[in-house]
Amino acid sequence: MDFKSKFIANFIDDDRWKYIWNGLGVTLKVTFFAVLLGIAIGVLVAIIRSTHEKNSKSMRMGFGKAVLAILNTICKVYLTVIRGTPVVVQLMIMYYIILADSRNKVLVATLAFGINSGAYVAEIFRSGIMSIDEGQFEAGRSLGFNFVQTMRYIIIPQAFKNVLPALANEFIVLLKETSVVGYVALQDLTKGGDIIRSRTFDAFMPLFGVALIYLIMVLFFTWLVGRLERRLRNSER
Amino acid sequence: MNGDTLIRVEKLQKHYNGGVIKALDGINTEIKKGEVVVVIGPSGSGKSTFLRCLNLLEVPTGGNIFFEGVDITDEKVNINIHRQKMGMVFQHFNLFPHMTILKNMIIAPMKLRKKSEAEATELAMKLLRRVGLEDRANAYPSQLSGGQKQRIAIVRALCMEPEVMLFDEPTSALDPEMVGEVLEVMKQLAHDNMTMVVVTHEMGFAREVGSRVMFMAEGRQVEEGTPEEIFDHPKSERLQTFLAKVL
């Protein structure tokens, strides 16, 4: 069989392109919402952790300090567990145990990957916050800004710019990591390609096709982040 | 009113490691309105720590600080309100690199004193003209020289219309040829009757502009007096050796 007839057999016959197309939709949906959830969790955890790191020594004993210490401990446990176990296992635990009653596999996958990604985003953001010179923080406080205002107007905007490359990398990893959702029988891009392979008994076409689509998405995303980075840099010099 | 007490410091202490290291060991002083208090001393003498305690960037481990009659070391006091009236200038400028010069200056008045952008900008431009940097309003800090950055840092603090200005070695990180332009701005400020507390190694400035000089060593105020008393008739041996080294 030549390339053209192989292509037709794998993608055109029986509308097999639909496996790829629908799978791509699932992959993008899971990635997109997982990214949002990951950022939300990540920022929250990073702020709690760095607030604790910056303030716990100077804070007086009291209710606030106790609450902060408890929150910090919860965050640390979360980070340890999530980063210490494989994402596939977390996905299966979410599907078979925690949300065993749910039939919405996209939701299950989004939660699993969002919670997973949040741990990495948290550490990325925390390193960004801690990398900002202490003098910036002091300058903000000396003008009369409170802790939250200083974070919001002065520290976080600078930290975000510094961590953008690491953050982009995390999302590229996340996009590709979602390819394991086949473990809970959710038909994403990878699973779609695999189904075609099982029908046509041709591994080459569907798998390279799937790989190419991932590659194009990653290249597009890298380009997009590069533009954003340049724009943020331009605002500084 | 000139001569009224603005800041009163009583038995101020800053200990580390449960008293093993005594950065400040019982400082008592009064800073009056319109006064320029210059703090000098060898490195490690606690003069920066003293200054940073005045607006609670360093939390003292003992003693009291009264600012406009309020004990700001009291836990129940909202320090952010008082800090708005205490401008601070740092050794390393600490301008916000992600904002233009103008934004650096107007953000605090807009967010904290609820000034309109036009109102805040008007004051900022007036101050920029005073230090001769009005043409740099839309530049970013990285485009300025050290001396320019420090002049901006001073007017940024002034935008909050503070009652007192705290200077933490404002010329120590500058190239020698830029020290003059910053001191000039500070002199002008003193001339305009601003209350100032200045930690510095610039003895010429201390003598010329200071209304009072405080000499610190090992966390204590060893000697205090007019510039003439301190520089021309030093009493303690500690101060005499110090002056012999720096003058």
Side-chain angles (χ1 to χ4, degrees):
Chain A
M1 272 207 293
D2 62 359
F3 187 86
K4 192 181 165 191
S5 48
K6 265 190 182 177
F7 186 89
I8 289 170
N10 278 298
F11 297 126
I12 311 292
D13 289 354
D14 296 337
D15 281 344
R16 294 205 171 104
W17 58 272
K18 279 187 176 169
Y19 289 114
I20 301 285
W21 179 251
N22 294 338
L24 180 62
V26 169
T27 294
L28 288 176
K29 230 188 288 178
V30 170
T31 306
F32 179 74
F33 289 110
V35 162
L36 290 189
L37 184 61
I39 289 180
I41 296 176
V43 169
L44 191 69
V45 171
I47 287 176
I48 292 171
R49 295 258 293 143
S50 46
T51 304
H52 184 261
E53 257 168 82
K54 275 185 192 291
N55 290 345
S56 61
K57 273 198 203 110
S58 64
M59 251 169 117
R60 300 173 173 106
M61 291 304 283
F63 180 71
K65 187 170 184 171
V67 170
L68 193 58
I70 292 167
L71 286 175
N72 186 54
T73 308
I74 293 172
C75 290
K76 268 163 105 173
V77 170
Y78 160 73
L79 292 174
T80 309
V81 171
I82 294 297
R83 295 196 301 164
T85 54
V87 67
V88 187
V89 177
Q90 290 165 19
L91 176 69
M92 289 197 288
I93 289 175
M94 189 62 85
Y95 183 64
Y96 291 112
I97 302 169
I98 299 174
L99 292 177
D101 296 331
S102 172
R103 312 199 56 180
N104 188 344
K105 287 176 186 166
V106 172
L107 176 74
V108 170
T110 301
L111 283 177
F113 284 105
I115 291 169
N116 179 270
S117 181
Y120 295 94
V121 172
E123 288 300 272
I124 290 170
F125 263 113
R126 189 174 66 93
S127 73
I129 291 170
M130 298 315 279
S131 76
I132 302 300
D133 183 49
E134 189 62 24
Q136 290 289 309
F137 193 78
E138 290 182 348
R141 295 307 301 269
S142 79
L143 285 168
F145 285 116
N146 63 31
F147 182 84
V148 175
Q149 290 168 324
T150 307
M151 281 299 215
R152 178 167 157 210
Y153 298 124
I154 294 153
I155 306 296
I156 306 246
Q158 295 185 60
F160 179 74
K161 198 184 317 191
N162 288 354
V163 301
L164 198 60
L167 212 53
N169 190 51
E170 163 59 22
F171 297 143
I172 288 172
V173 170
L174 179 63
L175 172 70
K176 293 177 295 170
E177 247 178 9
T178 58
S179 61
V180 300
V181 291
Y183 267 88
V184 296
L186 179 57
Q187 290 187 15
D188 71 325
L189 180 58
T190 305
K191 190 72 183 171
D194 197 43
I195 291 171
I196 296 175
R197 184 193 57 77
S198 69
R199 301 279 155 84
T200 61
F201 301 109
D202 176 18
F204 182 90
M205 256 308 158
L207 293 187
F208 270 95
V210 164
L212 188 66
I213 294 171
Y214 276 114
L215 184 62
I216 289 168
M217 287 194 291
V218 169
L219 287 177
F220 174 72
F221 188 65
T222 310
W223 172 80
L224 209 65
V225 172
R227 275 189 55 142
L228 181 60
E229 244 178 90
R230 268 193 301 281
R231 251 185 57 188
L232 286 175
R233 237 197 336 261
N234 282 345
S235 76
E236 213 168 280
R237 43 190 72 98
Chain B
M1 272 269 293
N2 262 11
D4 286 357
T5 301
L6 187 63
I7 302 175
R8 195 167 83 244
V9 178
E10 286 176 358
K11 295 182 195 136
L12 186 66
Q13 276 185 350
K14 177 70 181 179
H15 290 181
Y16 293 101
N17 297 338
V20 182
I21 300 161
K22 294 175 178 168
L24 289 180
D25 200 12
I27 305 282
N28 295 290
T29 193
E30 254 180 47
I31 294 155
K32 295 190 167 61
K33 277 192 184 160
E35 234 187 346
V36 178
V37 177
V38 182
V39 186
I40 60 170
S43 65
S45 59
K47 52 193 193 304
S48 273
T49 309
F50 166 68
L51 190 78
R52 291 160 56 82
C53 277
L54 292 182
N55 67 353
L56 252 59
L57 277 187
E58 250 10 290
V59 181
T61 46
N64 304 88
I65 300 164
F66 296 89
F67 176 60
E68 296 182 317
V70 180
D71 184 0
I72 56 171
T73 56
D74 186 340
E75 275 182 56
K76 292 180 202 80
V77 167
N78 180 3
I79 186 63
N80 301 313
I81 306 281
H82 297 283
R83 279 187 184 140
Q84 293 180 20
K85 295 187 234 164
M86 308 170 109
M88 187 160 194
V89 175
F90 301 86
Q91 186 178 351
H92 295 289
F93 329 129
N94 298 343
L95 296 180
F96 307 133
H98 60 303
M99 298 177 189
T100 62
I101 298 307
L102 185 63
K103 190 83 201 288
N104 261 280
M105 295 174 68
I106 63 175
I107 184 163
M110 280 173 65
K111 302 291 178 192
L112 297 172
R113 301 195 50 191
K114 308 288 175 217
K115 280 193 177 185
S116 70
E117 184 163 353
E119 213 181 334
T121 304
E122 197 191 318
L123 176 61
M125 290 309 293
K126 198 175 114 196
L127 288 164
L128 278 177
R129 271 194 292 279
R130 231 167 72 180
V131 295
L133 288 170
E134 70 270 32
D135 55 329
R136 308 315 306 272
N138 293 312
Y140 283 88
S142 59
Q143 298 165 321
L144 304 185
S145 72
Q148 291 175 328
K149 280 184 200 170
Q150 196 61 300
R151 282 187 279 160
I152 296 297
I154 294 171
V155 287
R156 176 177 71 180
L158 289 176
C159 276
M160 287 296 283
E161 299 168 288
E163 294 294 321
V164 57
M165 286 286 284
L166 311 174
F167 292 86
D168 189 4
E169 304 199 22
T171 56
S172 298
L174 294 176
D175 289 339
E177 79 265 26
M178 293 172 179
V179 170
E181 61 191 70
V182 172
L183 291 182
E184 197 48 52
V185 172
M186 291 168 64
K187 270 181 215 167
Q188 222 183 82
L189 207 53
H191 187 75
D192 294 345
N193 235 345
M194 174 61 78
T195 313
M196 295 161 67
V197 184
V198 186
V199 170
T200 188
H201 295 290
E202 296 293 330
M203 297 304 151
F205 177 85
R207 187 193 275 270
E208 189 187 337
V209 184
S211 38
R212 185 149 56 92
V213 179
M214 190 169 142
F215 172 66
M216 286 182 67
E218 282 133 30
R220 293 162 186 274
Q221 67 216 107
V222 176
E223 225 174 303
E224 206 173 338
T226 63
E228 294 75 41
E229 286 168 349
I230 294 289
F231 291 111
D232 300 334
H233 311 288
K235 288 188 222 85
S236 64
E237 201 183 318
R238 194 79 188 72
L239 177 56
Q240 285 162 6
T241 17
F242 175 75
L243 289 176
K245 277 183 201 156
V246 296
L247 289 181

